[in-house]
Amino acid sequence: MEIDVQHIAKLARLKIEEGQVEQMTKEMEAIFSMVENLPPIEGGGALLEPDNQMELRPDIVVPSTAREQILQNAPQVAEGCFLVPRTVE
């Protein structure tokens, strides 16, 4: 299997130094080899146990904490919302 580490790094927006490409290729080949050797899943793909069905809880509307009470602990508030530092330009 041919693995293009530079292409994968570009898609993942990672910077890989030229000297690390060979080592990363070996590591990824080892990972793919391990995954290819995993045993098949028994049961036709259904991962739920028929004897242990999940039950959904009832959807009940309950009162929540008042917005003013929650916002009183915030360092900065504007128009009823938390103000946080900008992380994206």
Side-chain angles (χ1 to χ4, degrees):
M1 171 184 283
E2 185 68 32
I3 299 174
D4 186 355
V5 173
Q6 294 289 24
H7 180 67
I8 294 170
K10 181 180 176 183
L11 293 173
R13 296 185 179 182
L14 298 174
K15 182 179 178 183
I16 297 178
E17 302 295 329
E18 251 341 281
Q20 296 177 320
V21 172
E22 186 176 335
Q23 178 65 28
M24 292 292 287
T25 303
K26 288 179 184 177
E27 290 178 10
M28 292 190 78
E29 286 173 351
I31 292 169
F32 287 141
S33 174
M34 179 195 66
V35 171
E36 287 174 347
N37 292 328
L38 289 175
I41 296 175
E42 300 291 327
L47 298 178
L48 296 177
E49 298 175 23
D51 298 333
N52 187 12
Q53 295 289 322
M54 294 187 297
E55 293 185 27
L56 298 176
R57 63 173 171 78
D59 192 11
I60 301 171
V61 178
V62 294
S64 62
T65 308
R67 179 182 289 208
E68 295 78 24
Q69 186 179 355
I70 294 171
L71 292 176
Q72 72 184 6
N73 295 321
Q76 290 184 313
V77 177
E79 299 178 18
C81 298
F82 292 101
L83 283 182
V84 296
R86 185 180 181 131
T87 57
V88 179
E89 301 209 19

